[in-house]
Amino acid sequence: MVIEKNVSLKPFNTFGINTTATLYCDVSTIEQLKNILAEHHTNPLFILGGGSNMLLTKDIEALVLHINLKGTSILNETDDKVIIKAMAGENWHEFVLWCLEHNYGGIENLSLIPGNLGTAPIQNIGAYGVELKDVFVSCEALHIKSQKVKTFTKDDCNFGYRESVFKQDLKGQYIITSVNFELTKTNHRLHMDYGAIKDQLKAFNILEPTIQDISKAVIAIRQSKLPDPKVIGNSGSFFKNPIISKDEFDILNDNFPNAPSYQISDTEVKIPAGWLIEQAGFKGKRFNNYGVHSKQALVLVNYGNAKGKDIFELAKLIQKTVKRIFNIEIEIEVNII
Ligand code: EPU
């Protein structure tokens, strides 16, 4: 285990922003992690997973710990269910593919989400009608100060829409080291209500889809809308979809009768931020080497060598413009560093 000095973080964030870490260490075992925390927990630390949900706007004057814990094991299994433990440094999509190879169902709708498995619970990743919390059993995490291992049950995690206790009350206190999932081996519950999935399966001529087919459909939809971070730097959805009251929605609907919406309770409605941003005129807008993706306005992109600060300024301009036109606040979803 080597601590390196002045390391470029460009390869370690999907936005591809080039800033520097004063100190950097790649950690591949829990023992290493405990030792390094015991020695450095009073120094500034920065925990890095897959780097898929952050925008770096400055150099990191801290010890960056790159969590590279690997491994997947089966903890328990019955005829129709399996409990799998997977380490935090596993790549999320590779884990999804491994599950599909073994015909384990539950996360096929979460195919092709960038990032590492250990950071998935932090923002309760979700797509096409499924959220991580639907298959989550528990996770283990190291308390940074005491280096004690704690198990968090689903209730402990307080999951919400792109939210968990790790983003709220316990922010910066724990490092997730592994996650336990409960997946199905038979009688898979397929989630196809999301319009685009059914259309995509129809386009593939698939009438009785398997979990593998659903994954293929999700991959095709994502590839058609979302830029591949290996080609164009990005962090997926930059903003959350805003949730507004029914009364606010009635006003919006009077002024913009075409506004898409999803009713989420008797009193609340979710509005796609992508639509608001598109209506505000930003979709596909390019400013030098950064901009708004042309196929999904919720995604900000780095065409190469953009500064995180500039992308953050663009995000603030978008927020202000959306607020002015629609009187709706859109919240940034990625972590601004
Ligand atoms: N829309 C537009 N213009 C756009 C984009 C979207 O008008 O440029 C409208 C359309 O009406 C479209 C609707 O928004 O039907 C929904 O768009 P989409 O299906 O692309 O989903 P989203 O609500 O924009 C959310 C997640 C995505 C996830 C998809 C699919 C959030 C913040 N984002 O996007 O998650 O993949 O649903 O489930 O909830 C991510 O978090 O990084 C991410 C990509």
Side-chain angles (χ1 to χ4, degrees):
M1 192 178 52
V2 189
I3 296 184
E4 296 169 66
K5 282 187 182 160
N6 298 325
V7 172
S8 164
L9 294 172
K10 189 168 180 173
F12 306 126
N13 71 100
T14 59
F15 242 124
I17 306 286
N18 190 18
T19 65
T20 303
T22 333
L23 297 168
Y24 170 90
C25 183
D26 189 285
V27 185
S28 53
T29 69
I30 293 197
E31 272 324 293
Q32 283 180 349
L33 186 57
K34 281 185 178 166
N35 290 341
I36 205 157
L37 289 178
E39 202 176 324
H40 293 275
H41 71 86
T42 51
N43 300 336
L45 291 176
F46 183 90
I47 312 305
L48 177 67
S52 63
N53 200 36
M54 62 188 210
L55 177 67
L56 294 165
T57 62
K58 55 179 187 297
D59 288 338
I60 306 217
E61 288 171 12
L63 168 58
V64 172
L65 294 181
H66 194 189
I67 308 302
N68 233 332
L69 308 165
K70 300 279 187 196
T72 303
S73 54
I74 290 174
L75 296 186
N76 198 0
E77 152 163 52
T78 61
D79 284 347
D80 42 39
K81 294 230 162 103
V82 60
I83 307 278
I84 300 173
K85 173 176 179 168
M87 300 305 287
E90 291 290 336
N91 172 274
W92 174 261
H93 181 60
E94 281 168 24
F95 175 67
V96 173
L97 293 181
W98 180 86
C99 289
L100 290 168
E101 263 167 44
H102 291 80
N103 202 33
Y104 300 147
I107 51 176
E108 52 283 355
N109 293 49
L110 304 180
S111 296
L112 212 61
I113 295 185
N116 281 3
L117 188 144
T119 39
I122 300 178
Q123 50 156 330
N124 182 25
I125 58 169
Y128 307 106
V130 173
E131 286 184 332
L132 180 92
K133 73 169 168 54
D134 304 333
V135 290
F136 179 97
V137 178
S138 62
C139 66
E140 274 185 7
L142 264 186
H143 187 237
I144 292 177
K145 274 198 187 137
S146 66
Q147 297 97 57
K148 288 216 173 88
V149 179
K150 182 174 154 96
T151 301
F152 289 84
T153 64
K154 192 190 287 198
D155 280 351
D156 295 334
C157 292
N158 220 349
F159 289 123
Y161 168 55
R162 298 294 193 276
E163 277 299 344
S164 77
V165 74
F166 301 107
K167 268 177 97 171
Q168 300 289 342
D169 295 357
L170 299 182
K171 191 171 177 174
Q173 294 185 38
Y174 282 89
I175 300 174
I176 295 173
T177 52
S178 65
V179 182
N180 291 355
F181 301 88
E182 183 180 85
L183 302 176
T184 49
K185 289 169 67 179
T186 54
N187 300 321
H188 302 302
R189 267 190 65 206
L190 306 182
H191 297 269
M192 295 181 288
D193 291 343
Y194 195 89
I197 291 193
K198 281 193 188 132
D199 294 343
Q200 190 61 54
L201 289 168
K202 219 187 255 172
F204 285 161
N205 254 324
I206 293 170
L207 298 176
E208 287 186 33
T210 60
I211 52 175
Q212 291 78 7
D213 294 328
I214 291 193
S215 170
K216 281 184 194 131
V218 167
I219 289 173
I221 300 166
R222 287 188 79 94
Q223 285 177 336
S224 72
K225 285 191 182 183
L226 299 167
D228 177 352
K230 288 192 194 104
V231 183
I232 302 177
N234 76 92
S235 230
S237 299
F238 198 91
F239 303 93
K240 284 188 190 180
N241 287 330
I243 294 167
I244 60 175
S245 71
K246 195 100 194 346
D247 293 344
E248 286 165 322
F249 177 67
D250 290 340
I251 298 170
L252 178 75
N253 205 29
D254 282 346
N255 296 324
F256 303 93
N258 297 331
S261 63
Y262 317 99
Q263 180 129 7
I264 55 169
S265 72
D266 288 348
T267 53
E268 287 176 319
V269 180
K270 201 188 248 186
I271 309 292
W275 182 83
L276 298 168
I277 298 167
E278 179 172 349
Q279 298 303 306
F282 285 100
K283 190 171 185 171
K285 269 253 157 97
R286 182 169 174 160
F287 306 82
N288 300 321
N289 46 5
Y290 60 97
V292 179
H293 189 50
S294 56
K295 296 183 190 143
Q296 164 54 292
L298 201 48
V299 179
L300 303 190
V301 290
N302 169 15
Y303 291 107
N305 298 323
K307 295 259 173 277
K309 266 193 299 196
D310 292 336
I311 296 176
F312 187 35
E313 286 307 314
L314 171 60
K316 287 193 279 192
L317 176 67
I318 291 173
Q319 283 178 309
K320 237 194 323 189
T321 313
V322 166
K323 170 80 181 159
R324 181 169 48 75
I325 302 174
F326 300 100
N327 198 26
I328 292 178
E329 313 247 357
I330 52 171
E331 197 186 323
I332 291 179
E333 204 262 317
V334 306
N335 295 306
I336 308 294
I337 311 292

